Amino acid sequence: MMDWRNIIDDSWTLFLDRDGVINVRLIDDYVKNINEFEFLPGVLDAFEIFGKCFNKIIIVTNQQGVGKGLMTLETVGIIHDFMKKQIENQKGRVDAIYVCPQLKTEPDNFRKPSPKMAFMAKNDFPAIDFNKSIMIGDSNSDIEFGHNAGMHTILIGDEVKESVADDRFDSLIQFANTLK
């Protein structure tokens, strides 16, 4: 386990996946409205800690349910507005959210593990340095996304994954508590 507290300063950027990291992942389904969105335990407290440690906090999420016609990009925006408001109400923040609504079968899609959403964030926030960035996710595509952009990576959860992350924690709050 790395000593993140002594590495991270306020010039670092935190990238996070959404489903399975911030909120409960619906097995074989998608969060299609705010009633289906449920924060994982400790996440709101984690965001308060992250807000004090990181320069930028960015969510990058594949939302293939849009491409499948199960929800609209507008609905995803409503869910994200709800999520951000809850985080802000608990003294946390999210600086930007990047969504890939494309199907994985679409050519030239920018779904993770493609690093294109990271480059979009760097375009919007030129001070982002991928060498001073962490990607936190719960899937192989999240960890590969981080590797493809040259970031440090943290895997959340206890599933055995093919991709090797730099570190692993059971939950977002477990990682956040190492930064105190």
Side-chain angles (χ1 to χ4, degrees), residues 65-82:
V66 175
K68 291 181 175 181
L70 300 175
M71 59 204 173
T72 65
L73 208 45
E74 180 183 10
T75 303
V76 173
I78 291 167
I79 293 165
H80 287 163
D81 288 345
F82 169 79

Side-chain angles (χ1 to χ4, degrees), residues 1-10 12-14 50 53-54 130-136 151-155 165-169 174-180:
M1 189 176 295
M2 294 181 67
D3 183 6
W4 294 104
R5 183 177 49 192
N6 291 321
I7 297 170
I8 295 168
D9 61 31
D10 63 4
W12 280 64
T13 301
L14 179 62
F50 294 153
C53 299
F54 291 94
F130 293 134
N131 292 316
K132 294 172 86 177
S133 295
I134 298 173
M135 173 60 194
I136 301 180
M151 299 178 197
H152 300 272
T153 56
I154 294 176
L155 183 66
D166 296 312
D167 216 336
R168 171 179 277 201
F169 293 90
Q174 186 185 35
F175 168 63
N177 284 332
T178 69
L179 303 176
K180 287 178 160 180

Side-chain angles (χ1 to χ4, degrees), residues 34-143:
I34 60 173
N35 295 328
E36 295 176 342
F37 186 92
E38 178 186 349
F39 283 101
L40 286 164
V43 164
L44 294 172
D45 294 328
F47 269 91
E48 181 178 358
I49 296 166
F50 294 153
K52 296 172 185 170
C53 299
F54 291 94
N55 183 38
K56 295 288 179 230
I57 300 171
I58 297 170
I59 296 171
V60 286
T61 179
N62 293 341
Q63 292 297 319
Q64 187 170 242
V66 175
K68 291 181 175 181
L70 300 175
M71 59 204 173
T72 65
L73 208 45
E74 180 183 10
T75 303
V76 173
I78 291 167
I79 293 165
H80 287 163
D81 288 345
F82 169 79
M83 175 186 69
K84 280 180 70 172
K85 184 173 177 139
Q86 298 303 310
I87 290 168
E88 290 165 2
N89 286 344
Q90 295 295 315
K91 301 181 185 151
R93 74 170 201 284
V94 174
D95 296 296
I97 303 174
Y98 297 88
V99 177
C100 180
Q102 299 165 307
L103 296 170
K104 56 178 114 177
T105 55
E106 287 185 41
D108 295 324
N109 72 68
F110 56 93
R111 291 174 54 80
K112 294 176 287 177
S114 165
K116 289 180 183 175
M117 286 190 279
F119 297 134
M120 291 174 189
K122 177 135 177 84
N123 186 59
D124 292 342
F125 304 102
I128 289 175
D129 177 351
F130 293 134
N131 292 316
K132 294 172 86 177
S133 295
I134 298 173
M135 173 60 194
I136 301 180
D138 69 328
S139 70
N140 288 322
S141 65
D142 296 327
I143 301 309

